[in-house]
PDB file of all heavy atoms in Angstrom:
ATOM      1  N   GLU A 497     -11.667  -8.586  -3.528  1.00  0.00           N
ATOM      2  CA  GLU A 497     -10.238  -8.886  -3.741  1.00  0.00           C
ATOM      3  C   GLU A 497     -10.110  -9.352  -5.185  1.00  0.00           C
ATOM      4  O   GLU A 497     -11.072  -9.861  -5.772  1.00  0.00           O
ATOM      5  CB  GLU A 497      -9.743  -9.979  -2.781  1.00  0.00           C
ATOM      6  CG  GLU A 497     -10.447 -11.312  -2.953  1.00  0.00           C
ATOM      7  CD  GLU A 497      -9.814 -12.475  -2.177  1.00  0.00           C
ATOM      8  OE1 GLU A 497      -8.972 -12.245  -1.303  1.00  0.00           O
ATOM      9  OE2 GLU A 497     -10.172 -13.625  -2.486  1.00  0.00           O
ATOM     10  N   ARG A 529     -14.471  -2.453  -0.919  1.00  0.00           N
ATOM     11  CA  ARG A 529     -14.920  -2.927   0.402  1.00  0.00           C
ATOM     12  C   ARG A 529     -15.667  -1.797   1.081  1.00  0.00           C
ATOM     13  O   ARG A 529     -15.170  -0.662   1.128  1.00  0.00           O
ATOM     14  CB  ARG A 529     -13.725  -3.340   1.282  1.00  0.00           C
ATOM     15  CG  ARG A 529     -12.997  -4.527   0.711  1.00  0.00           C
ATOM     16  CD  ARG A 529     -11.857  -5.001   1.592  1.00  0.00           C
ATOM     17  NE  ARG A 529     -11.082  -5.993   0.850  1.00  0.00           N
ATOM     18  CZ  ARG A 529      -9.983  -6.582   1.273  1.00  0.00           C
ATOM     19  NH1 ARG A 529      -9.511  -6.300   2.481  1.00  0.00           N
ATOM     20  NH2 ARG A 529      -9.345  -7.460   0.525  1.00  0.00           N
ATOM     21  N   GLU A 531     -15.894  -0.346   3.813  1.00  0.00           N
ATOM     22  CA  GLU A 531     -15.241  -0.175   5.116  1.00  0.00           C
ATOM     23  C   GLU A 531     -16.093   0.717   6.016  1.00  0.00           C
ATOM     24  O   GLU A 531     -16.566   1.766   5.576  1.00  0.00           O
ATOM     25  CB  GLU A 531     -13.855   0.467   4.934  1.00  0.00           C
ATOM     26  CG  GLU A 531     -12.893  -0.317   4.068  1.00  0.00           C
ATOM     27  CD  GLU A 531     -12.257  -1.503   4.789  1.00  0.00           C
ATOM     28  OE1 GLU A 531     -12.558  -1.711   5.978  1.00  0.00           O
ATOM     29  OE2 GLU A 531     -11.482  -2.227   4.138  1.00  0.00           O
ATOM     30  N   PHE A 539      -5.055   5.095   3.194  1.00  0.00           N
ATOM     31  CA  PHE A 539      -4.657   3.827   3.817  1.00  0.00           C
ATOM     32  C   PHE A 539      -5.814   2.829   3.795  1.00  0.00           C
ATOM     33  O   PHE A 539      -5.626   1.651   3.518  1.00  0.00           O
ATOM     34  CB  PHE A 539      -4.188   4.061   5.256  1.00  0.00           C
ATOM     35  CG  PHE A 539      -3.684   2.801   5.897  1.00  0.00           C
ATOM     36  CD1 PHE A 539      -2.407   2.337   5.618  1.00  0.00           C
ATOM     37  CD2 PHE A 539      -4.483   2.062   6.761  1.00  0.00           C
ATOM     38  CE1 PHE A 539      -1.945   1.159   6.177  1.00  0.00           C
ATOM     39  CE2 PHE A 539      -4.029   0.885   7.328  1.00  0.00           C
ATOM     40  CZ  PHE A 539      -2.748   0.431   7.031  1.00  0.00           C
ATOM     41  N   MET A 541      -9.461   2.513   2.075  1.00  0.00           N
ATOM     42  CA  MET A 541     -10.402   3.119   1.141  1.00  0.00           C
ATOM     43  C   MET A 541     -11.555   2.156   0.844  1.00  0.00           C
ATOM     44  O   MET A 541     -11.459   0.962   1.122  1.00  0.00           O
ATOM     45  CB  MET A 541      -9.683   3.438  -0.176  1.00  0.00           C
ATOM     46  CG  MET A 541      -8.500   4.352  -0.014  1.00  0.00           C
ATOM     47  SD  MET A 541      -7.379   4.168  -1.403  1.00  0.00           S
ATOM     48  CE  MET A 541      -8.077   5.341  -2.546  1.00  0.00           C
ATOM     49  N   PHE A 544     -10.280   0.623  -4.000  1.00  0.00           N
ATOM     50  CA  PHE A 544      -8.815   0.667  -4.007  1.00  0.00           C
ATOM     51  C   PHE A 544      -8.289  -0.321  -5.042  1.00  0.00           C
ATOM     52  O   PHE A 544      -9.061  -0.981  -5.736  1.00  0.00           O
ATOM     53  CB  PHE A 544      -8.255   0.371  -2.604  1.00  0.00           C
ATOM     54  CG  PHE A 544      -8.680  -0.957  -2.026  1.00  0.00           C
ATOM     55  CD1 PHE A 544      -7.825  -2.045  -2.044  1.00  0.00           C
ATOM     56  CD2 PHE A 544      -9.931  -1.117  -1.466  1.00  0.00           C
ATOM     57  CE1 PHE A 544      -8.210  -3.271  -1.518  1.00  0.00           C
ATOM     58  CE2 PHE A 544     -10.332  -2.337  -0.943  1.00  0.00           C
ATOM     59  CZ  PHE A 544      -9.474  -3.420  -0.964  1.00  0.00           C
ATOM     60  N   GLN A 546      -5.469  -3.476  -5.995  1.00  0.00           N
ATOM     61  CA  GLN A 546      -4.572  -4.504  -5.455  1.00  0.00           C
ATOM     62  C   GLN A 546      -3.642  -5.026  -6.544  1.00  0.00           C
ATOM     63  O   GLN A 546      -4.003  -5.018  -7.725  1.00  0.00           O
ATOM     64  CB  GLN A 546      -5.385  -5.692  -4.925  1.00  0.00           C
ATOM     65  CG  GLN A 546      -6.128  -5.405  -3.632  1.00  0.00           C
ATOM     66  CD  GLN A 546      -6.799  -6.645  -3.084  1.00  0.00           C
ATOM     67  OE1 GLN A 546      -7.403  -7.404  -3.838  1.00  0.00           O
ATOM     68  NE2 GLN A 546      -6.719  -6.853  -1.782  1.00  0.00           N
ATOM     69  N   GLU A 548      -1.946  -8.563  -6.995  1.00  0.00           N
ATOM     70  CA  GLU A 548      -1.923  -9.881  -6.360  1.00  0.00           C
ATOM     71  C   GLU A 548      -1.298 -10.910  -7.296  1.00  0.00           C
ATOM     72  O   GLU A 548      -1.476 -10.855  -8.511  1.00  0.00           O
ATOM     73  CB  GLU A 548      -3.337 -10.327  -5.977  1.00  0.00           C
ATOM     74  CG  GLU A 548      -3.991  -9.392  -4.973  1.00  0.00           C
ATOM     75  CD  GLU A 548      -5.146 -10.028  -4.220  1.00  0.00           C
ATOM     76  OE1 GLU A 548      -6.124 -10.420  -4.878  1.00  0.00           O
ATOM     77  OE2 GLU A 548      -5.073 -10.122  -2.994  1.00  0.00           O
ATOM     78  N   GLU A 611       0.486  -2.513   7.941  1.00  0.00           N
ATOM     79  CA  GLU A 611       0.518  -3.521   6.867  1.00  0.00           C
ATOM     80  C   GLU A 611       0.410  -2.868   5.491  1.00  0.00           C
ATOM     81  O   GLU A 611      -0.494  -2.071   5.243  1.00  0.00           O
ATOM     82  CB  GLU A 611      -0.657  -4.479   7.057  1.00  0.00           C
ATOM     83  CG  GLU A 611      -0.814  -5.433   5.897  1.00  0.00           C
ATOM     84  CD  GLU A 611      -2.150  -6.183   5.901  1.00  0.00           C
ATOM     85  OE1 GLU A 611      -2.809  -6.232   6.945  1.00  0.00           O
ATOM     86  OE2 GLU A 611      -2.513  -6.696   4.828  1.00  0.00           O
ATOM     87  N   VAL A 612       1.354  -3.252   4.622  1.00  0.00           N
ATOM     88  CA  VAL A 612       1.287  -2.799   3.234  1.00  0.00           C
ATOM     89  C   VAL A 612       1.001  -4.001   2.327  1.00  0.00           C
ATOM     90  O   VAL A 612       0.330  -3.895   1.315  1.00  0.00           O
ATOM     91  CB  VAL A 612       2.618  -2.122   2.818  1.00  0.00           C
ATOM     92  CG1 VAL A 612       2.611  -1.760   1.342  1.00  0.00           C
ATOM     93  CG2 VAL A 612       2.853  -0.875   3.640  1.00  0.00           C
ATOM     94  N   GLU A 651       0.058 -16.812  -1.922  1.00  0.00           N
ATOM     95  CA  GLU A 651      -0.449 -15.536  -2.444  1.00  0.00           C
ATOM     96  C   GLU A 651       0.419 -14.386  -1.945  1.00  0.00           C
ATOM     97  O   GLU A 651       0.757 -14.339  -0.758  1.00  0.00           O
ATOM     98  CB  GLU A 651      -1.879 -15.336  -1.952  1.00  0.00           C
ATOM     99  CG  GLU A 651      -2.381 -13.914  -2.112  1.00  0.00           C
ATOM    100  CD  GLU A 651      -3.791 -13.736  -1.557  1.00  0.00           C
ATOM    101  OE1 GLU A 651      -3.947 -13.624  -0.317  1.00  0.00           O
ATOM    102  OE2 GLU A 651      -4.727 -13.730  -2.359  1.00  0.00           O
ATOM    103  N   SER A 653      -0.062 -10.291  -1.833  1.00  0.00           N
ATOM    104  CA  SER A 653      -1.152  -9.341  -2.080  1.00  0.00           C
ATOM    105  C   SER A 653      -0.785  -7.977  -1.504  1.00  0.00           C
ATOM    106  O   SER A 653      -0.628  -7.820  -0.295  1.00  0.00           O
ATOM    107  CB  SER A 653      -2.422  -9.864  -1.403  1.00  0.00           C
ATOM    108  OG  SER A 653      -3.443  -8.899  -1.509  1.00  0.00           O
ATOM    109  N   GLY A 655      -1.525  -3.648  -1.620  1.00  0.00           N
ATOM    110  CA  GLY A 655      -2.421  -2.571  -2.024  1.00  0.00           C
ATOM    111  C   GLY A 655      -1.617  -1.477  -2.726  1.00  0.00           C
ATOM    112  O   GLY A 655      -0.630  -0.982  -2.178  1.00  0.00           O
ATOM    113  N   ARG A 658      -1.821   1.779  -0.666  1.00  0.00           N
ATOM    114  CA  ARG A 658      -0.986   1.774   0.549  1.00  0.00           C
ATOM    115  C   ARG A 658       0.474   1.908   0.188  1.00  0.00           C
ATOM    116  O   ARG A 658       1.252   2.556   0.906  1.00  0.00           O
ATOM    117  CB  ARG A 658      -1.196   0.479   1.321  1.00  0.00           C
ATOM    118  CG  ARG A 658      -2.399   0.592   2.168  1.00  0.00           C
ATOM    119  CD  ARG A 658      -2.451  -0.434   3.233  1.00  0.00           C
ATOM    120  NE  ARG A 658      -3.832  -0.486   3.677  1.00  0.00           N
ATOM    121  CZ  ARG A 658      -4.327  -1.375   4.472  1.00  0.00           C
ATOM    122  NH1 ARG A 658      -3.546  -2.330   4.936  1.00  0.00           N
ATOM    123  NH2 ARG A 658      -5.585  -1.339   4.839  1.00  0.00           N
TER     124      ARG A 658
HETATM  125  N1  GAP B  49      -6.435 -11.590  -1.419  1.00  0.00           N
HETATM  126  C1  GAP B  49      -5.983 -11.349  -0.121  1.00  0.00           C
HETATM  127  C2  GAP B  49      -6.399 -10.060   0.420  1.00  0.00           C
HETATM  128  O1  GAP B  49      -7.174  -9.336  -0.177  1.00  0.00           O
HETATM  129  P1  GAP B  49      -6.035  -8.435   2.441  1.00  0.00           P
HETATM  130  O2  GAP B  49      -5.043  -8.515   3.565  1.00  0.00           O
HETATM  131  O3  GAP B  49      -7.463  -8.276   2.784  1.00  0.00           O
HETATM  132  O4  GAP B  49      -5.800  -9.769   1.588  1.00  0.00           O
HETATM  133  C3  GAP B  49      -4.344  -7.272   0.840  1.00  0.00           C
HETATM  134  O5  GAP B  49      -5.603  -7.276   1.466  1.00  0.00           O
HETATM  135  C4  GAP B  49      -3.787  -5.877   0.747  1.00  0.00           C
HETATM  136  O6  GAP B  49      -4.745  -5.011   0.131  1.00  0.00           O
HETATM  137  C5  GAP B  49      -3.494  -5.236   2.097  1.00  0.00           C
HETATM  138  O7  GAP B  49      -2.215  -5.592   2.565  1.00  0.00           O
HETATM  139  C6  GAP B  49      -3.581  -3.748   1.763  1.00  0.00           C
HETATM  140  O8  GAP B  49      -2.363  -3.292   1.214  1.00  0.00           O
HETATM  141  C7  GAP B  49      -4.646  -3.702   0.677  1.00  0.00           C
HETATM  142  N2  GAP B  49      -5.955  -3.304   1.243  1.00  0.00           N
HETATM  143  C8  GAP B  49      -6.869  -4.086   1.864  1.00  0.00           C
HETATM  144  N3  GAP B  49      -7.947  -3.364   2.220  1.00  0.00           N
HETATM  145  C9  GAP B  49      -7.710  -2.094   1.814  1.00  0.00           C
HETATM  146  C10 GAP B  49      -8.466  -0.874   1.885  1.00  0.00           C
HETATM  147  N4  GAP B  49      -9.680  -0.821   2.412  1.00  0.00           N
HETATM  148  N5  GAP B  49      -7.911   0.259   1.365  1.00  0.00           N
HETATM  149  C11 GAP B  49      -6.677   0.220   0.793  1.00  0.00           C
HETATM  150  N6  GAP B  49      -5.943  -0.896   0.701  1.00  0.00           N
HETATM  151  C12 GAP B  49      -6.443  -2.046   1.196  1.00  0.00           C
END
Side-chain angles (χ1 to χ4, degrees):
E497 62 170 13
R529 295 183 190 177
E531 301 282 359
F539 184 79
M541 302 158 87
F544 58 101
Q546 288 186 317
E548 298 200 299
E611 172 193 342
V612 175
E651 165 182 78
S653 174
R658 277 197 198 170

